[in-house]
């Protein structure tokens, strides 16, 4: 197999990796904020449900969660598993997992805000929704950005776990090529891709962080 052909096959896996990465961020970031609201709710039932969800998501392996999401409908309800469902399952699994981590990051940022911020907003006539979205949330984002960056970088590497339900992302393609060609080159190429991808992510997040550091 030529090097060009190998890169072409790895490219297909790269597209899947980027697809998993992008959709996970798009859905897990807002879902994480919603879980945070439930986690901080004054309603004991909602708060405990959110705490249990976060505990389960953080306390069990992502690989296991992907398998439960994929095989669960069949084993629990005898619903036939469509071939295309694996792509839906991998996104559901990743989104549910990362939303739990993002929820705790959001919560730590919100709880770190001084009470005076809320009191000042109340004096200025802001209601609770305006106070949160116009005053608190922008400051929270600035504070939690380093922690979010760490999770985003971890997500890039975790996309390789999609192989457990036969979604052919970058790592799966590299493993198949390395096995068929008895060569380490596909692994090296995949490793370079993951590094470059994470380097770009870190660079973008660092740029955003500097833009938000408007008092320095």
């Amino acid at each position: 197999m030529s090097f060009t052909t190998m890169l072409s096959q790895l490219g297909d896996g790269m597209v899947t990796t980027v697809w998993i990465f992008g959709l996970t961020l798009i859905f897990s970031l807002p879902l994480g904020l919603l879980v945070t609201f439930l986690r901080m709710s004054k309603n004991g039932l909602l708060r405990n449900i959110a705490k249990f969800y976060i505990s389960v998501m953080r306390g069990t392996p992502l690989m296991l969660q992907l398998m439960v999401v994929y095989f669960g409908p069949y084993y629990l309800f005898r619903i036939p598993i469509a071939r295309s469902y694996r792509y839906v399952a991998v996104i559901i699994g990743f989104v549910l997992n990362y939303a739990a981590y993002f929820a705790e990051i959001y919560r730590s940022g919100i709880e770190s805000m001084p009470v005076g911020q809320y009191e000042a907003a109340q004096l200025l006539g802001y209601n609770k929704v305006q106070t949160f979205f116009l005053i608190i949330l922008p400051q929270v984002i600035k504070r939690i950005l380093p922690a979010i960056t760490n999770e985003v970088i971890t997500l890039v590497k975790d996309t390789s776990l999609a192989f457990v339900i036969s979604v052919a992302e970058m790592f799966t393609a590299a493993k198949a090529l390395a096995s068929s060609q008895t060569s380490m080159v596909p692994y090296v190429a995949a490793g370079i891709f993951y590094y470059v991808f994470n380097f770009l992510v870190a660079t973008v997040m660092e740029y955003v962080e500097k833009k938000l550091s408007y008092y320095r």
Side-chain angles (χ1 to χ4, degrees), residues 127-178:
N127 59 37
K128 290 184 178 180
V129 175
Q130 291 173 325
T131 298
F132 180 78
F133 285 102
L134 298 179
I135 297 176
I136 302 301
L137 186 59
Q139 296 180 74
V140 167
I141 291 174
K142 179 181 175 182
R143 293 187 179 203
I144 67 175
L145 204 55
I148 291 289
T149 300
N150 285 337
E151 286 301 318
V152 172
I153 289 175
T154 300
L155 172 59
V156 175
K157 295 177 286 186
D158 277 353
T159 55
S160 62
L161 295 176
F163 82 92
V164 74
I165 54 175
S166 302
V167 173
E169 39 59 62
M170 169 65 74
F171 178 74
T172 304
K175 185 170 64 172
L177 285 170

Side-chain angles (χ1 to χ4, degrees), residues 66-131:
L66 291 172
M67 295 176 70
V68 168
V69 172
Y70 183 60
F71 294 108
Y74 175 76
Y75 287 117
L76 293 175
F77 309 108
R78 296 300 173 185
I79 300 175
I81 301 174
R83 184 176 180 82
S84 59
Y85 175 64
R86 70 185 59 180
Y87 297 100
V88 177
V90 77
I91 297 303
I92 292 174
F94 271 90
V95 168
L96 291 177
N97 179 272
Y98 272 83
Y101 286 92
F102 288 139
E104 286 298 271
I105 293 174
Y106 284 133
R107 186 173 69 88
S108 67
I110 293 170
E111 291 185 344
S112 71
M113 296 300 298
V115 177
Q117 296 280 339
Y118 297 91
E119 294 173 344
Q122 187 176 11
L123 288 173
L124 291 172
Y126 288 96
N127 59 37
K128 290 184 178 180
V129 175
Q130 291 173 325
T131 298

